[in-house]
Amino acid sequence: MNIIFSLLAGFLFGMGLIVSGMSDPAKVLGFLDLAGKWDPSLALVMAGAIAVGVGAFAIARRRQVTWLGFPMLLPVARHIDSRLVIGSALFGVGWGLAGICPGPALVLVGAGLPKGVVFVAAMLAGMGVFEVIERLANRKPH
Amino acid sequence: MIVDLNAFTPLSALAGGALIGLAAAIFALFNGRIAGISSILGGLLRPKPDDIGWRLAFVAGLVMAPIVYSVVAALPSSRIEAGDAVLIGAGLLVGVGTRYGAGCTSGHGVCGLSRLSARSLVATVVFMAAGFATVFFTRHI
């Protein structure tokens, strides 16, 4: 059952990216280009998503199990550290270079764009680099 | 700052945003998880047997969206200005950065801000600022 809702959530997420114009990297860069001709659309995408999300997470937060009876596994991390800041900064630089973040990247692959495949392959390689570094770091004696 | 009123699409942005919010709501309320794309993808590289299925299903849903959309209506154009070398560099940075920062535009931006998380607010401010700065350097310096 959770597979079906995962598929549905991913599908609706992708539809939202297409409808909102966020599957167009040039439009995303139009938002990030404050000094040029600025396209504020991305801010309204966030606003629309958060308007719906706030209510949903307010309900989810008060529950131990989901409407399907699965454990509620929302994040508990609250710490703000250098990993969070440096990682987010690296992500922001990559986002600004191409105008593509992980969700739209997968939509570009579905749309059959070779450049989308190139980006996703590099992104997965980057995630792989992270996994290798993490495993090596965890292997060191403390 | 000059707002480009020809490019600005407030209604479709809000409607598409609401769909994204609905997707995050369904994923939280039924599956108990955060719809964070980088974490869902990254988890596939650290596979646990009982957890591959729902991750692949979410990714499949995302990839299917443009295919289904194009059956009903013409898919809006996706203009990728970057060349392959820039795409590879950008992809590597997005991959490493989102895993170190434990989230991207969806996990920290949409879900984290919806949860009123200070940690996600910091992440969102940092990646937005880095994105603004990067485009400023590439287009105006």
Side-chain angles (χ1 to χ4, degrees):
Chain A
M1 198 55 150
N2 69 336
I3 302 273
I4 292 166
F5 280 92
S6 281
L7 187 71
L8 175 67
F11 178 73
L12 290 175
F13 204 109
M15 284 298 191
L17 289 171
I18 297 166
V19 169
S20 65
M22 296 301 108
S23 58
D24 178 6
K27 190 167 177 66
V28 173
L29 290 177
F31 171 78
L32 291 175
D33 189 6
L34 286 176
K37 287 173 111 187
W38 188 51
D39 177 359
S41 302
L42 190 146
L44 289 190
V45 179
M46 297 284 289
I50 291 167
V52 176
V54 163
F57 283 106
I59 298 167
R61 189 181 304 126
R62 289 192 219 104
R63 300 180 59 92
Q64 300 294 315
V65 294
T66 72
W67 289 347
L68 291 177
F70 294 113
M72 190 62 82
L73 298 171
L74 300 182
V76 289
R78 301 178 64 87
H79 56 285
I80 295 160
D81 57 6
S82 61
R83 281 173 71 101
L84 180 80
V85 172
I86 293 168
S88 297
L90 292 175
F91 161 46
V93 172
W95 190 36
L97 285 175
I100 307 171
C101 55
L106 293 173
V107 173
L108 295 174
V109 170
L113 296 175
K115 283 186 170 187
V117 177
V118 169
F119 182 90
V120 167
M123 178 173 74
L124 289 172
M127 291 178 170
V129 167
F130 167 83
E131 289 296 330
V132 170
I133 293 172
E134 285 293 282
R135 278 172 210 183
L136 290 177
N138 290 336
R139 200 174 293 164
K140 279 181 196 157
H142 293 283
Chain B
M1 178 188 289
I2 310 154
V3 174
D4 187 350
L5 289 175
N6 292 320
F8 187 34
T9 49
L11 292 180
S12 57
L14 278 171
L19 265 176
I20 292 169
L22 177 65
I26 287 171
F27 208 47
L29 289 168
F30 287 93
N31 285 17
R33 292 190 180 268
I34 291 288
I37 316 297
S38 58
S39 298
I40 292 172
L41 269 179
L44 285 172
L45 302 177
R46 198 184 281 181
K48 294 181 207 135
D50 55 346
D51 147 307
I52 294 172
W54 67 260
R55 289 179 192 274
L56 284 178
F58 193 99
V59 170
L62 261 172
V63 173
M64 276 167 49
I67 298 167
V68 173
Y69 189 103
S70 68
V71 171
V72 181
L75 200 60
S77 66
S78 296
R79 298 160 293 166
I80 305 176
E81 292 156 3
D84 281 350
V86 172
L87 282 174
I88 290 169
L92 285 169
L93 284 168
V94 169
V96 171
T98 52
R99 295 300 284 144
Y100 266 104
C104 59
T105 344
S106 49
H108 281 312
V110 171
C111 296
L113 296 188
S114 293
R115 294 190 304 115
L116 313 175
S117 156
R119 175 173 150 85
S120 286
L121 177 63
V122 168
T124 304
V125 167
V126 169
F127 68 65
M128 287 254 175
F132 288 136
T134 302
V135 173
F136 185 77
F137 276 106
T138 56
R139 289 195 174 175
H140 302 287
I141 302 269

